[in-house]
């Protein structure tokens, strides 16, 4: 590089200068090949014309025969199946309940009478009261019944049947009121229990004042037999074998 400048002649850059082609080269374009025209897409089919009818005279398509009837039958069958599915367990449960607790056998006694049932005698005495010691005053339409229930074992079997009874107050029209045992002097063991000795239950019940003299005191003696020194397993086996129901009620009128 001597540092001398050289001048170059101008050269055309764009558009490019046509070159002289060497012999044998051809610039003739390839002839175009004509192809068959593509088929046109067919128009969508129109409605089928029935000879002799106009568009407004076309027959309507018939509805499926019997479909409403079949639907109604299916719905009815489903309802019946559901009713049977619900009723069968309910009826079975009701029969089981009735077997476990049948209708009560009510024994009615006049006021002041003594009732003897399963080796035990029972007596009832009733006293009306407007209040209890230490209790708040009652509403004017209410009244306390202070009930004295006496039981006496008539023999050793009566001593065994010393389970706590259920007590309630009933009216002849079917209404009833709960009665609560508040105190008793019944011995817990057979050794302390004496045949022929009266023992007592103190019972309270709250009833409408207008019905206080019309109600009866109803006692359901316990069916439990409490045998001394008997194991729990033996007691359960014996109870299942005896199958004694607690469906007897002693009602004492006033």
């Amino acid at each position: 590089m001597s540092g001398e400048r050289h001048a170059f002649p101008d050269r055309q850059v764009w558009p490019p200068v046509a070159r002289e082609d060497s012999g044998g080269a051809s610039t003739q374009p390839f002839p175009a090949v004509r192809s068959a025209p593509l088929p046109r897409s067919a128009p969508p089919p129109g409605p089928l014309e029935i000879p002799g009818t106009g568009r407004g005279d076309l027959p309507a398509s018939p509805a499926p025969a019997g479909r409403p009837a079949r639907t109604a039958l299916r719905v009815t069958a489903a309802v019946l199946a559901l009713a049977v599915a619900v009723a069968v367990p309910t009826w079975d449960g009701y029969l089981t309940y009735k077997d476990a607790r049948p209708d009560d056998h009510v024994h009615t006694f006049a006021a002041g009478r003594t009732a003897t049932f399963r080796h035990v005698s029972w007596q009832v005495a009733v006293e009306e009261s407007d209040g209890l010691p230490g209790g708040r005053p009652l509403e004017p339409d209410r009244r306390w019944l202070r009930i004295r229930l006496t039981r006496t074992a008539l023999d050793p079997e009566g001593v065994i049947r010393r389970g706590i009874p259920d007590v309630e107050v009933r009216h002849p029209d079917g209404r009833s009121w709960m009665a609560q045992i508040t105190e008793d002097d019944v011995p817990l063991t057979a050794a302390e229990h004496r045949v022929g000795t009266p023992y007592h239950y103190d019972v309270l019940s709250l009833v409408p004042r207008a019905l206080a003299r019309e109600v009866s005191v109803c006692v359901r003696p316990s069916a439990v037999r409490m045998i001394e020194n008997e194991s729990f397993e033996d007691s359960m086996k014996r109870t299942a074998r005896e199958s004694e129901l607690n469906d007897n009620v002693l009602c004492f009128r006033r």
Side-chain angles (χ1 to χ4, degrees):
M1 300 292 292
S2 60
E4 296 181 0
R5 296 183 177 180
H6 298 277
F8 297 93
D10 293 334
R11 179 177 297 180
Q12 182 178 346
V13 177
W14 187 264
V17 181
R19 297 180 182 179
E20 295 182 358
D21 297 327
S22 59
S26 173
T27 59
Q28 178 71 24
F30 289 102
V33 178
R34 297 183 178 272
S35 59
L38 295 175
R40 296 182 180 181
S41 57
L48 179 62
E49 296 289 344
I50 301 177
T53 62
R55 295 184 61 87
D57 299 331
L58 292 177
S61 57
R67 178 170 297 178
R70 288 198 299 270
T71 302
L73 288 176
R74 290 176 182 174
V75 171
T76 303
V79 171
L80 291 176
L82 179 61
V84 171
V86 173
V88 169
T90 303
W91 180 253
D92 183 66
Y94 173 76
L95 293 179
T96 302
Y97 169 80
K98 294 298 291 182
D99 289 340
R101 181 161 184 169
D103 295 335
D104 288 340
H105 297 286
V106 180
H107 311 273
T108 304
F109 303 91
R113 291 288 304 273
T114 298
T116 300
F117 181 76
R118 288 180 179 168
H119 310 273
V120 178
S121 68
W122 299 90
Q123 288 181 312
V124 168
V126 181
E127 178 185 346
E128 298 182 26
S129 175
D130 288 330
L132 299 176
R136 61 183 181 180
L138 284 179
E139 294 85 353
D141 61 339
R142 297 291 177 178
R143 195 156 178 85
W144 284 109
L145 296 184
R146 303 176 66 174
I147 303 167
R148 183 79 162 178
L149 177 60
T150 303
R151 63 153 287 152
T152 304
L154 302 179
D155 53 29
E157 180 66 20
V159 174
I160 292 174
R161 297 176 178 272
R162 61 184 183 277
I164 300 175
D166 293 328
V167 185
E168 69 176 1
V169 176
R170 297 182 183 179
H171 191 268
D173 63 7
R175 286 179 290 174
S176 63
W177 294 265
M178 183 178 62
Q180 182 67 41
I181 297 176
T182 59
E183 191 175 356
D184 72 86
D185 58 4
V186 180
L188 296 178
T189 63
E192 300 172 338
H193 206 120
R194 298 288 183 265
V195 174
T197 300
Y199 299 98
H200 309 90
Y201 295 97
D202 291 332
V203 187
L204 283 176
S205 181
L206 187 63
V207 300
R209 178 182 292 270
L211 306 179
R213 295 186 178 276
E214 301 176 9
V215 296
S216 299
V217 178
C218 295
V219 181
R220 188 187 301 272
S222 175
V224 176
R225 300 175 70 246
M226 305 171 66
I227 298 178
E228 204 76 13
N229 300 323
E230 184 180 36
S231 66
F232 177 77
E233 291 78 8
D234 292 342
S235 174
M236 295 298 293
K237 292 178 182 178
R238 176 179 53 78
T239 301
R241 184 171 60 253
E242 292 173 350
S243 301
E244 187 172 325
L245 298 178
N246 196 26
D247 57 347
N248 287 275
V249 180
L250 315 177
C251 285
F252 298 85
R253 293 175 178 168
R254 299 202 49 218

